Amino acid sequence: MNARFTITRLGSQGDGVAETETGELFIPFTLPGETVTAAREKDRATLMSVLEASPLRIDPACRHFTECGGCAIQHLEAEAYHRWKRDKVAHALNSKGITCDIDALVPCAPRTRRRVVFSARRGEAGMLLGFVRALSSEIISIEECPISLPEIVAMLDRLRALAELVCATTKSFRMTVTVTGSGLDVAVHESGKLGENQRRVASNFVIAQGLARLSIDGEIIIEPKKPVVMFGGGVAVAVPPGAFLQATEAAEQAMADIVGRHLARAKKIADLFAGCGSFALRLAAKSEIHAVEGDAAALLALDRAFRFASGLKRVTSERRDLFRRPLTFKELNAFDGIVFDPPRAGAEDQSKQIARSDVPLVAAVSCNPVTLARDLRILIDGGYALKSVTPIDQFLWSPHVEAVALLEKPRRRR
């Protein structure tokens, strides 16, 4: 049954929130100040119509918006959208009693996403390739994507054809597509076990379409051209299948610039959760780096890139699960600076060790304001002063926001 609601604010996931007698009601694709009709089911509702629209409402950039689950908030005017993302970081910090001037959001331009994770499934009408509808398992097959680099969008039909060729399951599977300097790197996950004929046909397709690589569940099926990305414009890294990369090159460079300026005085830097070296290989232009990462393939790619690069100071690497065995404060005291960029779960145990250390300069990079706030609270309680926090948008029109926090601690005399 439809009812009328007034939207009072935006929730953390981009839904409009209406206050009702039975509590908060979340209505996707609505904005503060709007009066809407919606069909309610428990604490969520489906928007039926907008009776009074917000002056901040704009036309969405994509025909698939409201169906495809990839974007949550294309309908909000840009300046208000930037404030909303910045406020997400501010609210998370405030929840931990942290007060700090937060810089303006570093914005994300459309058509810049270089790494996109599609969902795929064979349906009655053919292969579906796109994104999962919010709060559903339904895959919305897409024809356009205004967040993604044009190189990906131009290949949608051929990627859909490749998904058909590698599909050996009735279930949905994932296809991660990354733009590299060598072409598209396609990493497929959970598509089923390929027969020999499927492997041969898929390999011929990859060659014919000029793709750089096809891997399935980490196994390289064919690699006509080794996928290479450039870190900082000067160091070439041959990334392993399915390797983590920042979603946009511009955001990666913005984060690296902020971290680099903060750690410019450090002669020896520990890069924790180093991945393939997006920070380490840039910082090595001026400082010695010890890169620590749990993923063996990523660490090998980092090490090889360093060995073939020129003009870098020494980079050492260590494979170590920092969740199970964080670097101790005694080990950290050998360094002048630290940068850490953990997954969404944050780095609680590692932060406790950093807090006990004497390292004067720390840069914390995070894709989750909630766990960042928790980790910053630990560092501040350990004697660090929070100097700045910069929110960075690289997941355009989604609820996700990155942040770089810079901290300092007076070094004790030994």
Side-chain angles (χ1 to χ4, degrees), residues 18 63 65 73 102 129 138 147 151 217 225 271 297 301 318-319 327-328 332 351 362 392:
R63 75 178 94 164
F65 182 62
I73 197 161
I102 298 176
L129 181 76
E138 180 186 4
I147 64 171
E151 293 94 321
D217 294 327
K225 296 170 284 188
D271 181 0
E318 177 184 356
R319 185 183 180 191
L327 262 68
T328 68
L332 293 170
S351 294
V362 173
I392 296 172

Side-chain angles (χ1 to χ4, degrees), residues 86-362:
R86 179 184 177 277
D87 287 347
K88 285 170 68 71
V89 177
H91 291 155
L93 297 184
N94 289 339
S95 73
K96 293 295 184 180
I98 300 172
T99 57
C100 176
D101 288 337
I102 298 176
D103 296 338
L105 179 83
V106 177
C108 179
R111 299 176 181 84
T112 56
R113 181 84 67 85
R114 66 178 174 185
R115 182 175 183 268
V116 180
V117 182
F118 295 110
S119 293
R121 190 182 72 249
R122 183 179 284 127
E124 294 181 0
M127 180 59 60
L128 300 172
L129 181 76
F131 300 104
V132 176
R133 186 192 295 270
L135 302 176
S136 167
S137 60
E138 180 186 4
I139 296 174
I140 305 300
S141 201
I142 64 169
E143 302 298 329
E144 65 178 0
C145 184
I147 64 171
S148 302
L149 280 169
E151 293 94 321
I152 295 177
V153 177
M155 292 289 286
L156 281 173
D157 287 343
R158 281 165 280 186
L159 291 169
R160 190 174 290 111
L162 178 58
E164 177 76 37
L165 294 177
V166 302
C167 180
T169 180
T170 58
K171 299 179 180 180
S172 62
F173 58 95
R174 289 173 291 124
M175 176 180 278
T176 301
V177 181
T178 304
V179 177
T180 76
S182 317
L184 296 189
D185 179 18
V186 181
V188 180
H189 305 275
E190 300 178 340
S191 61
K193 184 175 177 57
L194 292 191
E196 286 303 315
N197 186 59
Q198 270 187 297
R199 294 171 72 100
R200 184 168 55 255
V201 172
S203 296
N204 290 338
F205 183 88
V206 167
I207 294 171
Q209 301 303 324
L211 301 178
R213 177 170 62 196
L214 170 65
S215 62
I216 298 179
D217 294 327
E219 178 193 357
I220 296 176
I221 304 301
I222 187 169
E223 188 181 69
K225 296 170 284 188
K226 192 169 287 294
V228 172
V229 297
M230 301 298 291
F231 286 158
V235 183
V237 181
V239 292
F244 171 79
L245 288 174
Q246 299 292 349
T248 75
E249 188 175 358
E252 178 182 84
Q253 188 61 54
M255 289 187 282
D257 288 344
I258 295 168
V259 171
R261 287 192 295 269
H262 184 59
L263 301 181
R265 304 193 312 271
K267 295 181 179 179
K268 294 183 65 176
I269 298 171
D271 181 0
L272 310 180
F273 307 96
C276 293
S278 59
F279 289 111
L281 295 171
R282 287 177 167 95
L283 294 169
K286 296 181 179 179
S287 308
E288 290 188 9
I289 308 296
H290 183 60
V292 186
E293 167 60 45
D295 184 88
L299 203 62
L300 180 60
L302 187 162
D303 184 64
R304 284 178 173 169
F306 163 67
R307 294 180 186 279
F308 282 96
S310 59
L312 299 184
K313 294 188 179 295
R314 187 170 66 133
V315 176
T316 57
S317 57
E318 177 184 356
R319 185 183 180 191
R320 185 161 169 171
D321 184 340
L322 292 171
F323 291 107
R324 293 176 179 270
R325 194 164 63 92
L327 262 68
T328 68
F329 70 94
K330 291 183 179 179
E331 292 174 290
L332 293 170
N333 282 340
F335 301 97
D336 309 304
I338 296 170
V339 55
F340 66 100
D341 183 12
R344 289 189 61 79
E348 185 174 9
D349 289 339
Q350 185 61 78
S351 294
K352 290 176 181 177
Q353 293 298 321
I354 296 172
R356 295 179 65 188
S357 78
D358 297 336
V359 182
L361 301 171
V362 173

